[in-house]
Amino acid sequence: MAETTRHPEPRYGIRPTMKDVAARAGVGLKTVSRVVNSEPGVTPDTERRVQEAIEALGFRRNDSARVLRKGRTASIGLVLEDLADPFYGPLSRAVEEVARAHGALLINGSSAEDPEREQELVLALCARRVDGLIVIPAADDHRYLEPEIKAGVATVFVDRPAGRIEADMVLSDSFGGAREGVAHLIAHGHRRIGFIGDQPRIHTATERLRGYHAAMTEAGITVEDSWVSLGSTDADRVRAAAEGMLGGPEPVTALFSGNNRVTVTVVRVLAERERPVALVGFDDIELADLLGITVISQDAAAVGRTAAEHLFRRLDGADHTPARVELPTRLIARGSGEIAPT
C-alpha cells in the first residue's frame, strides 16, 4: 500500500474573512458587517453567534475599505534621526501619547542622518496613507514633500527647520541655550573655552556654535581657530578634537560640547586626565546627575508633545500660515561647569 504524503495546512498568510465568519455563524455578510462596525439592527442572539465565530476564527477587521471611504487612516508617521539617541526616547513617547489620545496609531522609523533614506522613508509612509508626519530632518531640501502636503498630509518639522519649503516647525532654543552655557563658564573665570559640535550642515550645530560665539564676543574674548571643532559625533573624532584642545602649552580650561553624544566622549576623555577641566554639555545624558555634569537641558517630551498637538490641530482643520514654535532650554548646574580654571 502506497504511503500518502500529508501536506500541513498553511499557518501564515491566510486570514479569515467576513465571509468565513458569516458561514460559521450561519448569517449573511451584511449581518457580520453590522456586528463588526457596531451598527444597529442585529438581535442579541445573532450578535452572540457572530461574536463567537469571530473569536473562534481569530477574525480582525480590515480597515482598508474604511480608509478609502473616510479618507483618514488614524495613523501618523514619525521620522527620527537615530532611534538609539536618548533624546528621541521621551520625544517619541510624548508623540505616541498624544496620538493615542486622538485614537491614532504612531509609525516611526529612523533616517540615520541620511537625506536619501529620509526621503525614502517619508514617501513610504505617505504611500501607506498616514494622515500626518512629524519629521526630524536630515535633508536640507524638502520640496519632494510639497505634493504630499498639498494632498492633505499635515506635516510638522521638529528640532530643525524644513529645507526650501514653508512648513510648521517646533524647535528648542539652541542659540540661546549655548550662549547661556558658555556664559556660565565665562562667569566662573574661563577665557579659553573649546567648542566641540556636530556636522556643520546641521541646523542645531550651527545655532549652538553661533550661541558660543555670541557669548564669547559679549565677554570680549577673541576665539582662536583651534578652540572650535565641528564634525561627526564619532567617538574617535571627538576624542581627537578634545585631546587637541587640551594639549599644547596653552590648552583650553573648559569645554562646551554641542550634543549628548559628544558629551559622553568628552566625559571619558576628562576622566583620564589629572588636571580638572570644566565642562558644560548641550542635552542631558544618562547618569549626568550622578556624575555631576552641568548641562543645557532640552525638554524632549515637551518638544514631542507640542509638535504632535500642533499636528492634530492641523488635522482638525486649523488653517493658518506655517508656525515656528521655539521652546526654551534650561541650565542645570551640577558641578562640572562650576570648576574654576587652574
Side-chain angles (χ1 to χ4, degrees), residues 4 8 65 76 125-126 137 153 187 201 269 282 286 320:
T4 58
I76 63 170
L125 289 168
C126 291
V153 179
R201 63 179 175 81
V269 171
F282 203 109
E286 190 174 4
H320 50 73

Side-chain angles (χ1 to χ4, degrees), residues 89-215:
L91 187 153
S92 177
R93 187 163 55 250
V95 171
E96 186 172 21
E97 288 173 356
V98 175
R100 185 178 181 184
H102 285 81
L105 176 70
L106 177 66
I107 306 169
N108 61 27
S110 171
S111 69
E113 201 63 58
D114 181 344
E116 291 185 5
R117 184 167 171 178
E118 175 208 293
Q119 180 173 342
E120 179 182 321
L121 180 56
V122 165
L123 294 180
L125 289 168
C126 291
R128 284 158 178 76
R129 301 288 297 275
V130 294
D131 299 322
L133 289 166
I134 295 175
V135 181
I136 289 89
D140 55 10
D141 186 347
H142 292 93
R143 288 176 295 177
Y144 70 85
L145 254 174
E146 285 182 330
E148 307 299 335
I149 294 173
K150 288 179 182 177
V153 179
T155 306
V156 178
F157 288 83
V158 173
D159 199 40
R160 308 160 190 172
R164 306 186 72 177
I165 64 170
E166 293 293 322
D168 296 321
M169 65 185 78
V170 177
L171 315 172
S172 290
D173 184 8
S174 286
F175 168 78
R179 181 171 63 178
E180 181 181 17
V182 175
H184 184 74
L185 290 168
I186 294 169
H188 283 80
H190 296 278
R191 293 295 180 269
R192 301 179 64 83
I193 302 170
F195 177 94
I196 305 176
D198 209 332
Q199 303 275 10
R201 63 179 175 81
I202 297 174
H203 171 78
T204 50
T206 57
E207 282 296 285
R208 291 165 195 176
L209 177 61
R210 194 166 68 86
Y212 163 83
H213 278 294

Side-chain angles (χ1 to χ4, degrees), residues 136-338:
I136 289 89
D140 55 10
D141 186 347
H142 292 93
R143 288 176 295 177
Y144 70 85
L145 254 174
E146 285 182 330
E148 307 299 335
I149 294 173
K150 288 179 182 177
V153 179
T155 306
V156 178
F157 288 83
V158 173
D159 199 40
R160 308 160 190 172
R164 306 186 72 177
I165 64 170
E166 293 293 322
D168 296 321
M169 65 185 78
V170 177
L171 315 172
S172 290
D173 184 8
S174 286
F175 168 78
R179 181 171 63 178
E180 181 181 17
V182 175
H184 184 74
L185 290 168
I186 294 169
H188 283 80
H190 296 278
R191 293 295 180 269
R192 301 179 64 83
I193 302 170
F195 177 94
I196 305 176
D198 209 332
Q199 303 275 10
R201 63 179 175 81
I202 297 174
H203 171 78
T204 50
T206 57
E207 282 296 285
R208 291 165 195 176
L209 177 61
R210 194 166 68 86
Y212 163 83
H213 278 294
M216 298 291 270
T217 299
E218 289 164 6
I221 301 171
T222 301
V223 175
E224 297 183 14
D225 292 343
S226 60
W227 297 354
V228 175
S229 177
L230 295 180
S232 79
T233 57
D234 176 77
D236 290 339
R237 200 286 299 183
V238 174
R239 173 175 286 275
E243 290 177 346
M245 294 178 191
L246 295 169
E250 292 186 294
V252 298
T253 62
L255 289 169
F256 184 87
S257 54
N259 66 29
N260 53 9
R261 286 165 291 185
V262 172
T263 301
V264 168
T265 301
V266 170
V267 168
R268 290 193 173 111
V269 171
L270 297 185
E272 299 166 0
R273 306 182 71 85
E274 294 182 4
R275 179 173 64 88
V277 176
L279 169 67
V280 174
F282 203 109
D283 289 336
D284 217 340
I285 62 172
E286 190 174 4
L287 302 181
D289 53 339
L290 297 178
L291 295 172
I293 308 301
T294 297
V295 299
I296 300 297
S297 177
Q298 302 183 79
D299 191 340
V303 171
R305 184 169 54 253
T306 302
E309 290 171 348
H310 199 85
L311 182 75
F312 280 100
R313 282 197 294 272
R314 283 289 192 192
L315 290 172
D316 289 339
D319 185 19
H320 50 73
T321 56
R324 177 189 177 110
V325 179
E326 193 164 72
L327 301 180
T329 57
R330 181 167 65 102
L331 173 71
I332 304 176
R334 296 186 176 123
S336 71
E338 295 70 56

Side-chain angles (χ1 to χ4, degrees), residues 21-28 49 53:
V21 174
R24 186 179 182 96
V27 299
R49 296 204 323 269

